[in-house]
Amino acid sequence: NMSGGLRYEYRWQDDHKYKKPTKVSAPLYMSMLMDWIETLINNEDIFPTRTGIPFPKNFQQVCTKILTRLFRVFVHVYIHHFDGVINVGAEAHVNTCYKHFYYFITEFSLID
């Protein structure tokens, strides 16, 4: 299951196939998350790419939702898979990715 240890279980909801928060495996959660983010980023109404087209009023709310869900991936990796990360010698890379993620969300107050 997609979790952040024993206290937190992350359920998937996307308002399409999963209208209610639904327990799914971690690989499925992450796969659906990446697809969901890709769909949002490619949506010109949410992420306009042309000059003069304003961002929607809920832009920061959408970004916060994306980043909150990505934060869950970091939590899951650190709690459930960090031994594997160490075994392949990738802890410095993962730590650097997380540090940059953390500084970004903190600098712009994107996650509570």
Side-chain angles (χ1 to χ4, degrees):
N1 292 332
M2 181 62 179
S3 67
L6 299 174
R7 292 184 58 188
Y8 299 99
E9 179 179 74
Y10 306 128
R11 295 177 179 218
W12 184 255
Q13 181 177 6
D14 59 18
D15 297 326
H16 297 291
K17 183 177 179 184
Y18 297 89
K19 295 185 188 297
K20 294 181 181 180
T22 305
K23 181 191 261 188
V24 296
S25 69
L28 179 58
Y29 184 100
M30 291 181 205
S31 176
M32 290 189 298
L33 175 59
M34 296 305 146
D35 291 343
W36 176 76
I37 292 171
E38 182 180 16
T39 299
L40 289 174
I41 289 174
N42 289 329
N43 183 335
E44 289 278 334
D45 294 331
I46 299 170
F47 287 88
T49 58
R50 295 185 310 267
T51 304
I53 304 297
F55 288 89
K57 290 179 181 173
N58 69 336
F59 181 73
Q60 186 164 348
Q61 184 181 9
V62 170
C63 290
T64 296
K65 185 73 160 181
I66 290 170
L67 294 167
T68 298
R69 288 181 171 184
L70 286 172
F71 178 75
R72 293 173 180 177
V73 173
F74 278 111
V75 171
H76 180 84
V77 168
Y78 273 97
I79 290 174
H80 297 286
H81 302 289
F82 204 69
D83 288 343
V85 170
I86 291 169
N87 288 340
V88 298
E91 66 271 20
H93 300 293
V94 172
N95 287 339
T96 298
C97 286
Y98 177 70
K99 186 176 4 178
H100 285 276
F101 180 84
Y102 176 79
Y103 288 153
F104 180 78
I105 63 173
T106 303
E107 176 69 22
F108 297 103
S109 303
L110 294 170
I111 296 180
D112 293 330

